[in-house]
Amino acid sequence: MNEADPSLAQAVEAVVDEAPFPLVSAAFLQAFGRPPEALSSAPGRVNLLGEHTDYNDGFVLPVAIPQRTRVALGQASGPLTRVQAQVLGTTAHFSHDQPPTEPFARYVYGCLRLAEEAGLALPPLDICIASDVPLGVGLSSSAALEVAVLRALRARFATGWDDVQIARMAQRAEIEHAGVRCGILDQMASSLADPFQALFLDTRSLERRLVPLPSGAAILVLDSGISRSLATSGYNERRAECEAAAQALGVAALRDVDDPARAAALPAPLDRRARHVITENARVLQAAAGVDAETFGALMNASHASLRGDYEVSVPPLDWLVARLQREPGVFGARLTGAGFGGACVALCAADRLAAIAEPVLADYAAEGEQGRQLVP
Ligand code: GLA
């Protein structure tokens, strides 16, 4: 579908990237004593519909969030690569043969290794990272870091990688070096999504198009404050269950089944897992075909119910917050977003009510003894 002209995309990226860079440029200068040689950035994402469908070759519908991860990079003078993370106040040191132990640096290390596999002869680098993407809440902070690092390499070494190549490399960096057998949703979203329209993506073919949000609707994202302790182990387990379900149904991936009744033949819990994926794909297709805000919201509510009951990736405080959002006037629908097991939820709201929604909802959540916060807008 719309394959953007890469040179134009890079020119736009350069303009977008230049303006908000004083912080990361100055941090680089301060940390390493000279100006950076390349700057880049990439956004986090919020997924509106299509959860746990990407590793089943299915459909997703993310939108970019305003928060971005920014990277400044230059050639190092010593033998080690040094990565400074502003938000964490830490610097990691590593070499090709000695991977870092710090989790944030493993994403960077993975990207550098993938860049080398793609044919780039990399010297040791100095890298500075500054980010306002909320960490570990399901808004793709890791994909934003991976895509920003790969974009900085593209800019510094004129590699000519297109945005899809960058997304694919970023996904492999995460699978091979961070131990999460993720799909390609987050990296495609960080590399290609738009903050004003949703990106409808077929994760099998990578065909995609931008879909306008329903007229009069706007997006609200709240963090439940519940940390996603089971995210990696639970995630990999769900993925294995889906593979077992696909095999039992005799299909390459659950994407190839569109009748939820077929899931009933499977043993528990594979029947529920498969039913979630099959019904979730149908919800994305319906939303992407163009629906009004009420219908879109109802699809989000159904998605949450399916993630809670069939896929079992929600937790009680998140269910409470989502249910409270769903009752608030001006909310068309709400659901958990990202892998689940805690983290953030997303609501589709009436644009003219948006400013009034978070406060009463978060106050009631606080009265339940939980501490949430508004992340977007
Ligand atoms: C995480 C993964 C994605 C996707 C979502 C769930 O964000 O990185 O690939 O599977 O969970 O939809």
Side-chain angles (χ1 to χ4, degrees):
M1 275 182 253
N2 46 25
E3 200 62 63
D5 168 4
S7 55
L8 178 65
Q10 279 168 38
V12 170
E13 188 185 305
V15 174
V16 168
D17 279 357
E18 234 159 72
F21 271 95
L23 182 71
V24 77
S25 290
F28 186 97
L29 185 63
Q30 195 176 23
F32 303 117
R34 61 185 197 290
E37 294 155 24
L39 296 170
S40 71
S41 80
R45 65 98 187 95
V46 59
N47 194 21
L48 301 181
L49 275 173
E51 219 64 85
H52 292 279
T53 50
D54 63 347
Y55 51 83
N56 291 297
D57 280 2
F59 306 101
V60 294
L61 201 59
V63 59
I65 58 172
Q67 292 95 330
R68 302 179 79 86
T69 294
R70 301 190 163 83
V71 165
L73 169 153
Q75 192 163 336
S77 47
L80 294 179
T81 287
R82 301 182 291 184
V83 185
Q84 203 217 33
Q86 281 279 295
V87 266
L88 305 173
T90 338
T91 304
H93 300 81
F94 57 85
S95 65
H96 182 286
D97 302 323
Q98 273 198 316
T101 48
E102 298 87 342
F104 80 92
R106 291 194 70 88
Y107 295 112
V108 179
Y109 176 83
C111 290
L112 301 184
R113 294 295 73 81
L114 265 291
E116 288 180 331
E117 271 183 45
L120 198 59
L122 277 181
L125 298 168
D126 285 335
I127 299 174
C128 189
I129 304 161
S131 181
D132 59 357
V133 180
L135 296 178
V137 296
L139 298 184
S140 290
S141 54
S142 58
L145 174 56
E146 292 149 4
V147 171
V149 167
L150 290 165
R151 284 180 172 176
L153 294 175
R154 171 169 73 188
R156 171 63 181 77
F157 298 101
T159 63
W161 298 326
D162 67 28
D163 291 337
V164 173
Q165 261 172 297
I166 285 201
R168 285 185 194 276
M169 290 164 73
Q171 181 200 18
R172 280 191 55 206
E174 181 132 359
I175 294 175
E176 294 170 23
H177 296 276
V180 181
R181 294 185 61 216
C182 62
I184 203 161
L185 157 65
D186 304 347
Q187 293 79 12
M188 281 295 282
S190 184
S191 194
L192 287 132
D194 181 278
F196 306 108
Q197 302 186 75
L199 178 74
F200 169 59
L201 172 70
D202 176 338
T203 65
R204 174 175 274 170
S205 65
L206 298 189
E207 282 195 14
R208 60 202 176 273
R209 67 187 155 83
L210 292 174
V211 179
L213 292 179
S215 152
I219 289 161
L220 175 72
V221 181
L222 302 182
D223 176 17
S224 69
I226 306 298
S227 75
R228 303 182 310 151
S229 56
L230 278 175
T232 301
S233 57
Y235 185 90
N236 288 342
E237 184 185 285
R238 291 297 177 282
R239 182 165 182 159
E241 288 169 344
C242 287
E243 284 163 2
Q247 199 181 18
L249 291 171
V251 292
L254 287 178
R255 143 75 177 275
D256 299 310
V257 183
D258 50 22
D259 178 3
R262 284 190 64 194
L266 295 167
L270 303 190
D271 54 348
R272 301 197 299 277
R273 308 293 188 251
R275 190 168 56 202
H276 165 72
V277 175
I278 297 164
T279 58
E280 185 77 351
N281 275 327
R283 285 185 281 272
V284 179
L285 291 173
Q286 192 186 340
V291 292
D292 60 21
E294 283 80 9
T295 308
F296 200 115
L299 292 168
M300 291 172 77
N301 293 345
S303 170
H304 186 81
S306 178
L307 287 162
R308 182 189 59 219
D310 279 348
Y311 219 63
E312 296 178 281
V313 290
S314 192
V315 290
L318 198 47
D319 289 336
W320 194 97
L321 187 58
V322 166
R324 176 63 186 83
L325 271 167
Q326 291 171 349
R327 285 197 308 275
E328 183 67 14
V331 172
F332 296 117
R335 56 184 286 275
L336 71 80
T337 188
F341 304 101
C345 53
V346 58
L348 190 75
C349 305
D352 58 5
R353 285 270 313 154
L354 186 65
I357 290 170
E359 201 185 308
V361 169
L362 289 174
D364 286 356
Y365 191 55
E368 292 292 302
E370 302 291 352
Q371 209 49 54
R373 63 187 166 134
Q374 181 173 342
L375 300 175
V376 178

